[in-house]
Amino acid sequence: MSLRIYAIAYLVFLYAPIVLLPLFAFNDATIIAFPLTGFTTKWFTALTETKALHNAVQNSLFIAVVTSLFSTILGVCAARAGAMYNFPLKRGIIGLVMLPLVLPEIIVAVSLLVVVVQMLHLSLSNWTVVAAHVLICTPFSIAILNGAFQNLDPSMEEAAMDLGESRWSAFRLVTLPLVMPGIISSMLIAFTISLDEFIIAFFLTGANPTMPVYIWGLLRFPGSLPVVMALGTILVAMSIVLLTIAEILRRRGMARAGVKDKGSFL
Amino acid sequence: MWEKLTATEGRRGLLMISPPLIYAILMLAIPIGAIVLFSFWTQNFMDVDMTFTLNNYREIIEKPIYFALLKRSLFVSGTVTCVTVLLAFPVAYFVSFHVRPDRKSLWLFLITIPFWTSYLIRVFLWKVILGYNGVVNTGLINIGVIDEPLTFILYNINAVIITLAHAFAPFAILPIFVALEKIDRSLLEASQDLGESKLSTFFRVTLPLSMPGLVAAVLIVFIPTIGDYVTPELMGGAGGKLIANMIQTQFLALNNAPLGAALAIVAMLCVTAVSLFFVFLNRRWLRGRS
């Protein structure tokens, strides 16, 4: 019983900052502090009028969409290879691909920065951010897709090939529909990670900032903080919706593959 | 050619893993090799002097500021790891042992949601919670516990530790949960049948068996926290800056990328050394018991 109380208190601790967000987003005061003064939606209106923000959002959406596609494709390759084949150096190779999960993000950021700017003499752009985001999102995609690919019966694809399908069309017609929920779930998670990522984007973003980089700039000006709160509220609401869809799809995918849900993909 | 590549299972597997592997080599292995190389060069105003030198490392050893920052970073990461893992263990234990099996995914989903929402904004909100006119201070003043706002909870190391412990909570809970789930429940019954109390069963059976999860949790919190510069920048004030802030400053503001690269490598090596030492101690401890 006391454990349950502790666990609930822990959840309260986890959610404390997020719960405050809408309070201040709708609060009629420029200073972010208690007591609340009154209800307003003007901070949300201000969001629709800021041109620089719209550009930043566009950049971030572009980066997040491209990242989610690439990291999911790479994730499918790795999860399929890991689940269905034995090959030399398997553990080492998978370990290298999963390494960004534990690597400090600043290391990824500075090493790519050095290569792009100092060694290749290229300029930074949305694509440099994409390159880094694909790297850090792929391990998450693999973790999600592992659930879909493991316990997938290889004899089903073999049966399709015995019946005259090629290796690729057997994959497309038999395996792909089975792992589709996992694929969409992986794309949604990668999209969410990329959209919110700041530490790497700050180093690798070009002349046009991404949304988190833009928010970072706003945090220095006390006057713009309510607008940040409004933006944050929208972002958090969107993340929760996307994550819920991802979770539902992931569970459906596990059920389709006949795996007992162990509760989490990590 | 294609037939040759797909002839054996091993080759098909390698072909399948090659896109993510090549990507990891190009975007991770080679760039990390590049900063190692780069750390032996020097910045010469606008150009980089490519002669091999240990000057960057010499500077890091000779100037006390770098050592102080590194020490503080390791202290903060270590404390955050202890706090996070100790607070997380009971939650993971609760979800694994006391929650109905069909409810477990819901609990884990609730635990992970805050982790996915905008990191910057979460950190900023801790500032709102811990600030001079923040939630904690106004709350405590209103219920009459304190008369003056507390000042030791913002713009110092404490604030950095609280915020990071919050940010990495799910990272600590999930691996511990997975390890606890794997424990065969009949072992616990066996232990109690053989006369151990509930408490001694926990310390002699559950805890040693959950060690792999605990070690994973420690590493997955300890290593990444060293690279965070957002939390110390926003929450740390003047005395709470860490090594990652210095790396960021060297790269972006001071335009001394080689020194920044050397600092990044030194930080990485320290974290790796501490982690390996921890894993080694843990192995010895587990072996000593069996």
Side-chain angles (χ1 to χ4, degrees), chain A residues 8-29:
Chain A
I8 290 170
Y10 197 83
L11 276 187
V12 171
F13 166 67
L14 283 184
Y15 279 86
I18 300 178
V19 173
L20 290 173
L21 200 51
L23 289 183
F24 292 115
F26 289 106
N27 185 31
D28 186 17

Side-chain angles (χ1 to χ4, degrees), chain B residues 88-117:
Chain B
F89 192 91
V91 180
Y93 184 85
F94 169 75
V95 178
S96 180
F97 283 79
H98 293 282
V99 172
R100 287 214 322 265
D102 55 317
R103 288 282 194 79
K104 284 180 183 173
S105 344
L106 179 67
W107 268 89
L108 290 177
F109 182 57
L110 285 176
I111 288 165
T112 35
I113 277 191
F115 170 69
W116 298 114
T117 55

Side-chain angles (χ1 to χ4, degrees), chain B residues 61-169:
Chain B
I61 293 169
E62 280 170 1
K63 289 212 178 129
I65 169 99
Y66 300 119
F67 182 68
L69 283 175
L70 201 59
K71 209 171 71 177
R72 192 190 286 158
S73 269
L74 288 172
F75 169 74
V76 167
S77 289
T79 316
V80 167
T81 310
C82 289
V83 170
T84 316
V85 172
L86 286 179
L87 288 178
F89 192 91
V91 180
Y93 184 85
F94 169 75
V95 178
S96 180
F97 283 79
H98 293 282
V99 172
R100 287 214 322 265
D102 55 317
R103 288 282 194 79
K104 284 180 183 173
S105 344
L106 179 67
W107 268 89
L108 290 177
F109 182 57
L110 285 176
I111 288 165
T112 35
I113 277 191
F115 170 69
W116 298 114
T117 55
S118 178
Y119 179 59
L120 266 187
I121 289 176
R122 263 186 298 148
V123 175
F124 178 76
L125 282 163
W126 275 106
K127 217 164 143 169
V128 175
I129 295 176
L130 301 174
Y132 194 76
N133 289 320
V135 180
V136 170
N137 277 329
T138 40
L140 289 178
I141 288 175
N142 281 344
I143 57 172
V145 177
I146 50 171
D147 301 321
E148 293 278 301
L150 306 171
T151 51
F152 64 87
I153 49 176
L154 187 62
Y155 297 130
N156 56 32
I157 287 187
N158 299 337
V160 177
I161 291 172
I162 294 174
T163 313
L164 283 174
H166 176 263
F168 281 86

Side-chain angles (χ1 to χ4, degrees), chain A residues 3-4 6-8 10-11 13-18 20-21 24 32-34 74 77-78 80-81 84-88 93-94 96-97 99-100 102-104 106-108 110-115 118-119 130-131 134-135 140 167 189 192-193 196 198-199 202-203 212 215-216 219 225 228-229 232 235-236 239-240 243-244 247 251 261-266, chain B residues 9-10 12-14 16-17 19-21 23-25 27-28 31-32 34-35 37-38 41 43 48 84 86-88 90-91 93-94 98 105-111 113-122 124-126 128-129 133 135 138 162 165-166 169 171 173-174 177-178 220 223-224 226-230 233-234 244 247-248 251-252 257 264 268:
Chain A
L3 255 183
R4 172 177 290 271
Y6 174 78
I8 290 170
Y10 197 83
L11 276 187
F13 166 67
L14 283 184
Y15 279 86
I18 300 178
L20 290 173
L21 200 51
F24 292 115
I32 308 292
F34 283 108
L74 294 179
C77 292
R80 186 178 157 85
M84 294 190 147
Y85 300 105
N86 275 315
F87 48 89
I93 292 175
I94 303 265
L96 175 66
V97 176
L99 186 63
V102 287
L103 210 60
I106 198 169
I107 301 286
V108 174
V110 299
S111 60
L112 277 172
L113 183 74
V114 162
V115 169
Q118 311 269 6
M119 300 202 165
V130 168
V134 170
L135 188 70
F140 287 97
R167 198 177 285 284
I189 296 277
T192 318
I193 297 173
D196 283 339
F198 170 75
I199 292 186
F202 188 61
F203 277 88
I215 293 176
W216 174 256
L219 288 180
L225 291 179
V228 174
M229 296 290 115
L235 282 179
V236 168
S239 298
I240 292 178
L243 292 167
T244 311
E247 172 72 7
R251 284 197 209 172
D261 190 0
K262 286 195 280 294
S264 169
F265 56 82
L266 277 176
Chain B
E9 190 198 330
R12 279 204 297 277
L14 281 175
M16 186 55 74
I17 196 79
L21 174 63
Y23 196 82
I25 291 174
M27 296 292 170
L28 186 66
I32 287 183
I35 53 165
L37 189 64
F38 209 66
W41 295 348
Q43 188 80 32
V48 173
T84 316
L86 286 179
L87 288 178
V91 180
Y93 184 85
F94 169 75
H98 293 282
S105 344
L106 179 67
W107 268 89
L108 290 177
F109 182 57
L110 285 176
I111 288 165
I113 277 191
F115 170 69
W116 298 114
T117 55
S118 178
Y119 179 59
L120 266 187
I121 289 176
R122 263 186 298 148
F124 178 76
L125 282 163
W126 275 106
V128 175
I129 295 176
N133 289 320
V135 180
T138 40
I162 294 174
H166 176 263
F171 260 176
I173 293 180
L174 292 177
F177 170 79
V178 171
I220 215 168
I223 300 175
I226 207 95
D228 185 84
Y229 58 85
V230 174
E233 181 75 41
L234 286 177
I247 297 174
Q248 188 228 21
F251 268 95
L252 299 181
M268 223 19 237

